Amino acid sequence: MAKKQRHAYTEEFCREAVRRPDQPGNTAASVAKELGLHPGQIYNWRRQFSRLSEKQFNSLSGVDYSQQESEEERRLKRELHAARKENEFLKKAAAYFAKLQE
């Protein structure tokens, strides 16, 4: 069985493919057929563009910036979680030592 070849479409191509079904007389299926795509691909791109910001969808020299940003976001969330736990502990310790001094 032959493997399907993956295509790397430009952002401009994707945006045009998403924009064209919104024009009168066009459907996602007709545009997909015309462009040689599966109709689901147009819906996927539409969802990506609506969910992600301009910068997140861009890739430059094969580097996906959305992945880099999400890694940074996960790191910051871990740091925030650790800081909150430490803060909770310090509040309890302060309350404990305050009781001892009374």
Side-chain angles (χ1 to χ4, degrees):
M1 183 184 277
K3 281 189 170 183
K4 289 186 179 181
Q5 210 173 21
R6 292 194 140 188
H7 297 281
Y9 298 104
T10 64
E11 183 179 348
E12 295 80 28
F13 178 86
C14 298
R15 287 196 182 279
E16 181 65 20
V18 167
R19 186 188 62 76
R20 286 180 59 191
D22 295 335
Q23 296 174 341
N26 286 339
T27 64
S30 66
V31 171
K33 186 175 183 181
E34 184 180 324
L35 297 175
L37 300 169
H38 187 276
Q41 186 62 57
I42 292 177
Y43 293 114
N44 288 340
W45 287 336
R46 182 179 288 159
R47 188 178 67 245
Q48 285 177 337
F49 284 125
S50 67
R51 190 182 300 167
L52 302 175
S53 70
E54 291 285 330
K55 185 178 178 185
Q56 288 175 316
F57 191 80
N58 288 336
S59 63
L60 180 62
S61 301
V63 177
D64 182 6
Y65 289 105
S66 62
Q67 183 178 2
Q68 180 182 356
E69 287 180 8
S70 62
E71 286 174 9
E72 175 74 5
E73 185 178 339
R74 284 192 298 270
R75 183 185 65 77
L76 291 171
K77 283 182 179 181
R78 283 192 304 268
E79 285 182 18
L80 177 62
H81 180 72
R84 284 183 176 162
K85 286 182 85 170
E86 183 179 355
N87 193 20
E88 244 178 71
F89 173 78
L90 291 173
K91 283 181 184 179
K92 289 177 184 177
Y96 175 78
F97 288 115
K99 280 185 182 179
L100 289 179
Q101 287 183 354
E102 290 175 356

